[in-house]
Amino acid sequence: MSRLRLGVMVSGRGSNLQAIIDQIESGRLDAEIAVVVSNRANVAALERAKRHGVPTAVFERAEFASRHERDMAMTRCLREARLDLVVMAGYDQLVADELLNEFAGRIINIHPSLLPAFAGGLHAQADAVEYGVKISGCTVHFVTVGPADGGPIILQKAVPVYDDDTGDTLSARILEEEHRLLPEAIRLFGQGRIVVNGRKTTIKPAN
Ligand code: GRF
């Protein structure tokens, strides 16, 4: 595949977006970000995009009659950007089935737990500490219609949980791995190496 055209969906800090930008700018990821879409205005992720000359679009719920209308507008924006892959990088809401169907097999998400543990919530790291697990981590998966964080898993990375961890300390440890795992999944997608077979994926060896 030639240079991948990415759309990145964000909601906040944008450190995963930054990891993608950094890998593109350093030549380690053969991709360009055609658009960054956010469901929130004035977030750091948008500043990061602008600083690197990446086009942005904001779709705040208040500007639309319903959340569904908002998601439809977002879908049109992503469609018009002629993307190869949509990357949810810290996007904090569920999206309409129409958006997921439009990009079926071409939309991925990073989640800060070892799925299927701690799926669905926005506090997976604190939940893991609270539950008392000894190992957590992060997962990149395809986003599919159905239960949140339930699509086929592409890559996972385990991270230890220490006795004195808080949600914040575990989040920081997991985040370091997220910043490697998400660009790696994008790279594998771009190289056409992710094969999906039902719930399972396999990674083809590099040529
Ligand atoms: C990350 O931990 C991601 O896994 C989760 O939300 C956080 C977003 O961080 N979904 P950032 O906005 O990429 O810095």
Side-chain angles (χ1 to χ4, degrees), residues 91-110:
Y91 190 77
D92 66 1
Q93 290 189 312
L94 298 176
V95 296
D97 288 355
E98 287 89 339
L99 193 155
L100 299 181
N101 286 328
E102 172 103 19
F103 294 98
R106 298 188 291 136
I107 180 165
I108 66 175
N109 177 48
I110 179 116

Side-chain angles (χ1 to χ4, degrees), residues 74-93:
M74 205 182 262
T75 305
R76 282 193 295 278
C77 170
L78 293 169
R79 181 189 301 139
E80 282 160 16
R82 293 176 293 105
L83 306 171
D84 298 305
L85 180 67
V86 176
V87 180
M88 299 174 94
Y91 190 77
D92 66 1
Q93 290 189 312

Side-chain angles (χ1 to χ4, degrees), residues 12-17 89-91 109-112 125 175 178-179:
R13 176 179 55 186
S15 70
N16 278 289
L17 169 66
Y91 190 77
N109 177 48
I110 179 116
H111 185 74
Q125 306 95 325
L175 195 63
E178 292 184 41
H179 294 164

